[in-house]
Amino acid sequence: MIVRSFSDIENTDRHVKAASGTWESKRIVLAREKVGFSLHETTMYAGTETSMWYANHIEAVLCVEGEAELTNDETGEKHWITPGTMYLLNGREHHTMRPKTDFRCVCVFNPPVTGREEHDEHGVYPLLTEEG
């Protein structure tokens, strides 16, 4: 059994801050736990824009605080994401988030991330694995 709080991982290697300064993520479950998914709390900052494409992962996102516009960059379709709204990138869609307010969400990735991934120039996380 693992019991861990966000305060336990504050300012550790599980607390990842984007080089762009647009978001930060607390990775409470990672690939090293070997449970088949990773679980994160991510905060995206008001007035920023982040384009992403998880070509190697499926991501489910549940908004718990704030408001943001989600754009499917492939179709142009826009969605307003508010607390209690979930979106699932089950087609590995290119997408852009534009938070109106600080936007806090809980994210689940499959396959799990290691915590070492960084978005490349296309917004893609590489598919990294843990040894052993």
Side-chain angles (χ1 to χ4, degrees), residues 2 4 9 12-16 27-39 111-117 128-132:
I2 298 170
R4 184 179 291 135
I9 62 175
T12 70
D13 65 339
R14 291 174 177 267
H15 187 180
V16 178
R27 278 73 186 282
I28 200 153
V29 176
L30 287 168
R32 67 183 88 156
E33 275 76 55
K34 300 185 187 321
V35 294
F37 64 91
S38 57
L39 177 67
V113 301
T114 66
R116 300 184 314 270
E117 295 81 0
L128 302 179
T129 58
E130 291 292 330
E131 294 292 326

Side-chain angles (χ1 to χ4, degrees), residues 4-12 14-15 26-27:
R4 184 179 291 135
S5 72
F6 290 124
S7 63
D8 293 338
I9 62 175
E10 189 94 23
N11 299 315
T12 70
R14 291 174 177 267
H15 187 180
K26 296 174 184 170
R27 278 73 186 282

Side-chain angles (χ1 to χ4, degrees), residues 108-120:
V108 176
F109 279 84
N110 185 16
V113 301
T114 66
R116 300 184 314 270
E117 295 81 0
E118 292 186 24
H119 289 106
D120 69 13

Side-chain angles (χ1 to χ4, degrees), residues 25-86:
S25 184
K26 296 174 184 170
R27 278 73 186 282
I28 200 153
V29 176
L30 287 168
R32 67 183 88 156
E33 275 76 55
K34 300 185 187 321
V35 294
F37 64 91
S38 57
L39 177 67
H40 320 172
E41 176 195 64
T42 299
T43 301
M44 303 181 85
Y45 300 114
T48 64
E49 181 175 301
T50 304
S51 293
M52 297 164 276
W53 173 36
Y54 296 117
N56 301 307
H57 300 84
I58 301 295
E59 182 190 28
V61 179
L62 175 64
C63 174
V64 294
E65 183 179 331
E67 300 178 346
E69 179 186 78
L70 166 66
T71 301
N72 180 330
D73 296 333
E74 297 170 14
T75 66
E77 186 176 13
K78 296 180 186 297
H79 303 274
W80 196 246
I81 308 299
T82 58
T85 305
M86 183 277 310

